[in-house]
Amino acid sequence: MLDRLNVRAAIVSIVFLTVLLGTWELANQPPEQTEALTEYEMLMGGSAPQARVPNPSEIGLLAIEELSDPFYDKGPNDKGIGLQLMYSLYRVLSGYFLAALVAIPVGFLIGMSPLMQKALDPFIQVLKPISPLAWMPLALFILKDSEISSIFVIFICSIWPMLINTAFGVSSVKKDYLNVARTHELGRIKTAFLVVLPAAAPTILTGMRISIGIAWLVIVAAEMLVGGTGVGYYVWNEWNNLDLTSVVFSILMIGFIGMLLDLSLAKATKMVQYVE
Amino acid sequence: MSSYLLTAENLSKVYPGPKGGEPLTVFDGVNFGVNKGEFVCVIGHSGCGKSTILNILAGLDDATTGAVIMDGKEVAGPSLDRGVVFQNYSLLPWISVFKNISFAVKSRWPKWSKDEVYEHTMKYIEMVGLKGVEHRKPSQLSGGMRQRVSIARAFAIQPKLLLLDEPFGALDALTRGMIQEELIKVWEKTNQTVIMITHDVDEAILLSDRIFLMTNGPHASIAESVMIDIPRHRDRTEIIHHDHYYPIRNHVVDFLVKRSKELNDTGIEQQGQEQAFHYPPEVNPATGQVTEVKIDTDPSQVDDTRIANLR
Ligand SMILES: Nc1ncnc2c1ncn2[C@@H]1O[C@H](COP(=O)(O)OP(=O)(O)O)[C@@H](O)[C@H]1O
Ligand SMILES: [Mg+2]
């Protein structure tokens, strides 16, 4: 039943994709050379190709070419898309795991202690709504390193969902489960690991999933800002080269990697999910 | 009477009222003793404070006044000496049936080897007839099976006292009957001291040595302790033919229908007067015999003895 639904959904998806790409391809043909070349153009050896949105076929050809050798490195302005994505992923994952290292224990503390909850709430409320990129100048000034600054920006943007979800998950562990821990004389550490953590894990993982999504959104912008390497820089660089085919191709790659990140966290969430 | 395993002394629970309102005294002057190896049921109308009393005995809740003494020591906080079975089973849903029991065994005997823990756990899983499903998660079991896991867990830690709060309340009649029988079997094998809350009169007569009858709240208390002198081993189908069955049953039902309220009304009239400190009288409905039970310790001295014990 479900399988048949899946098959039908896949067919509809493919139909939509074909229609979309087909219309795009047909409606976006390069304009015919109608006017005669101006004198200037003749001197320059033909007309400059008009920059225009590329066709799916062109993007497809580029994708095959790029993905057949994704990791080449021919200097700072010519690196394979795979390599650029690796730079971005490295920053995202470092910032993200550092954030988890801070957010989960602190979230535990807040969730366990109403005092800490009240004491730390004002800080969280003020810091949370700050756009992560607003930290960039300060980070660059203090850390004096664009690499570490990008990681810091990822750290600061992924910390909040994890922190808030951990605190919420921990504070809303059912009293029944805590009573089980109490009647079995489990100590604080054992209660935390045997009862509170597994009980709150689905909520914590949901926070982690939100965070990885935000981190991946932010890294592109951060890399556009600081430059050097990474897929954000790549997009901006190709825009400066007016190579829109590469821009569209890298947009698709960003979406694809983002999807993989989200899927892996979704899978992890499923692993800790339990049915009451 | 100092041979009691556990005594409750002058327990009361008062909740502060809503803003400006009167505080709510759920129950007061609750006194009783439970012998080692005894099976006691507590019956009373919903809301009279049975669960609260059980939680106080477990150490999960604090009484407003009074104390619970077990083995000469005041109960302060929960302990593995007192196992609890909750109405909603309270199993940890993220681990298997086996682990739900083995973690309790491990916390009871931290020095045991893996094999010892395994064997002990399996013994109790078999005792409640759940061999073969030990690797399932609680959510993959029926309500009756889950409650058996919960019972197995409580028996497995071999507590000095087992507390059950309406353990079969959520089960259908057929399952309930089966688990009652299993509970009797396990209880007879282990000679465990049990205090159980129920609202089912037949269940109480089938299982208990004595039934505590609670008056209605607020200001509820235990009015009587009804002796069930029907010999063991009891069987659900045969017990109803015993001469004492219907006298006991009628007495308890009459209490629940009429006297639980009447007694409460007179109790409220007596408010403000010095509350008599006594155990509930022991009543045998079949013979009509009523025995007053004296308390040999003066409650005003309880605190001193306890301090002496601590020294
Ligand atoms: N936190 C609370 N504040 C005020 N009243 C409460 C609170 N908890 C329980 N009660 C009251 O205590 C009474 C006894 O509850 P409970 O012990 O659960 O009764 P039972 O188990 O006999 O049905 C109820 O009438 C309930 O309204
Ligand atoms: Mg109750």
Side-chain angles (χ1 to χ4, degrees), chain A residues 176-177 179-180 182-186 194-195 198-199 274-276, chain B residues 59-60 78-80 84 88 90-91 93-94 103-104 107 139 153:
Chain A
D176 289 340
Y177 302 151
N179 280 346
V180 169
R182 290 179 65 200
T183 50
H184 290 90
E185 291 183 32
L186 299 187
L194 288 181
V195 179
Y274 54 85
V275 192
E276 280 186 32
Chain B
L60 291 168
S79 141
L80 283 162
V84 192
N88 55 8
S90 287
L91 300 173
W94 50 84
F103 101 88
S107 55
S139 58
R153 179 176 69 187

Side-chain angles (χ1 to χ4, degrees), chain B:
Chain B
M1 284 297 159
S2 51
S3 62
Y4 284 137
L5 170 72
L6 170 128
T7 54
E9 297 173 2
N10 206 25
L11 292 182
S12 75
K13 183 76 184 180
V14 181
Y15 285 109
K19 252 187 205 154
E22 292 260 306
L24 171 72
T25 305
V26 180
F27 54 82
D28 53 11
V30 168
N31 296 290
F32 60 84
V34 175
N35 293 307
K36 194 162 186 299
E38 205 176 13
F39 200 123
V40 172
C41 276
V42 182
I43 279 198
H45 281 280
S46 160
C48 69
K50 304 180 296 294
S51 296
T52 313
I53 292 182
L54 197 94
N55 284 342
I56 292 170
L57 298 182
L60 291 168
D61 199 350
D62 293 318
T64 310
T65 68
V68 177
I69 315 287
M70 188 160 102
D71 275 344
K73 269 176 271 163
E74 181 174 0
V75 164
S79 141
L80 283 162
D81 283 341
R82 276 160 283 123
V84 192
V85 174
F86 299 95
Q87 176 167 10
N88 55 8
Y89 327 130
S90 287
L91 300 173
L92 303 178
W94 50 84
I95 48 179
S96 66
V97 166
F98 180 86
K99 283 193 172 158
N100 260 289
I101 300 174
S102 70
F103 101 88
V105 174
K106 273 186 227 159
S107 55
R108 178 66 156 145
W109 294 283
K111 292 202 183 106
W112 275 15
S113 72
K114 242 187 157 169
D115 289 347
E116 283 172 305
V117 171
Y118 177 83
E119 255 170 49
H120 190 81
T121 306
M122 284 313 289
K123 185 177 137 193
Y124 282 85
I125 287 177
E126 275 168 45
M127 214 181 266
V128 295
L130 285 181
K131 197 169 180 216
V133 300
E134 67 266 23
H135 294 300
R136 290 206 208 154
K137 298 266 170 72
S139 58
Q140 296 164 308
L141 302 179
S142 68
M145 288 161 114
R146 287 188 217 183
Q147 194 55 292
R148 281 191 217 163
V149 178
S150 185
I151 289 170
R153 179 176 69 187
F155 274 94
I157 59 169
Q158 299 177 348
K160 288 182 184 155
L161 173 67
L162 192 54
L163 303 162
L164 304 122
D165 189 353
E166 299 196 27
F168 313 132
L171 304 180
D172 61 277
L174 227 74
T175 318
R176 174 188 280 241
M178 266 161 55
I179 304 192
Q180 281 167 355
E181 253 154 40
E182 241 144 45
L183 180 64
I184 294 182
K185 261 195 282 171
V186 180
W187 177 73
E188 283 173 351
K189 251 184 237 169
T190 52
N191 206 20
Q192 184 77 55
T193 314
V194 181
I195 300 178
M196 171 166 144
I197 293 172
T198 174
H199 52 240
D200 180 332
V201 177
D202 296 299
E203 178 173 278
I205 300 174
L206 174 69
L207 295 172
S208 26
D209 298 310
R210 288 190 292 153
I211 302 177
F212 290 166
L213 301 178
M214 274 187 84
T215 60
N216 291 1
H219 295 280
S221 63
I222 295 179
E224 281 176 15
S225 140
V226 178
M227 311 292 296
I228 316 295
D229 55 356
I230 300 173
R232 307 216 180 231
H233 166 97
R234 297 179 193 159
D235 186 282
R236 257 189 316 147
T237 48
E238 281 162 25
I239 191 172
I240 50 174
H241 300 306
H242 193 273
D243 289 346
H244 290 184
Y245 188 79
Y246 278 99
I248 295 172
R249 193 175 191 284
N250 292 342
H251 182 83
V252 175
V253 170
D254 178 61
F255 177 89
L256 289 175
V257 175
K258 288 214 297 259
R259 291 171 54 224
S260 61
K261 183 164 186 314
E262 289 164 10
L263 283 169
N264 181 251
D265 292 343
T266 47
I268 287 178
E269 277 159 28
Q270 284 167 2
Q271 247 184 74
Q273 298 172 19
E274 193 59 35
Q275 283 254 341
F277 187 81
H278 60 78
Y279 285 142
E282 289 189 346
V283 178
N284 188 332
T287 59
Q289 194 180 353
V290 177
T291 321
E292 294 293 335
V293 186
K294 282 240 177 77
I295 285 177
D296 53 358
T297 45
D298 178 1
S300 59
Q301 284 171 10
V302 166
D303 277 326
D304 301 341
T305 21
R306 224 168 293 130
I307 291 164
N309 281 344
L310 286 175
R311 281 189 191 130

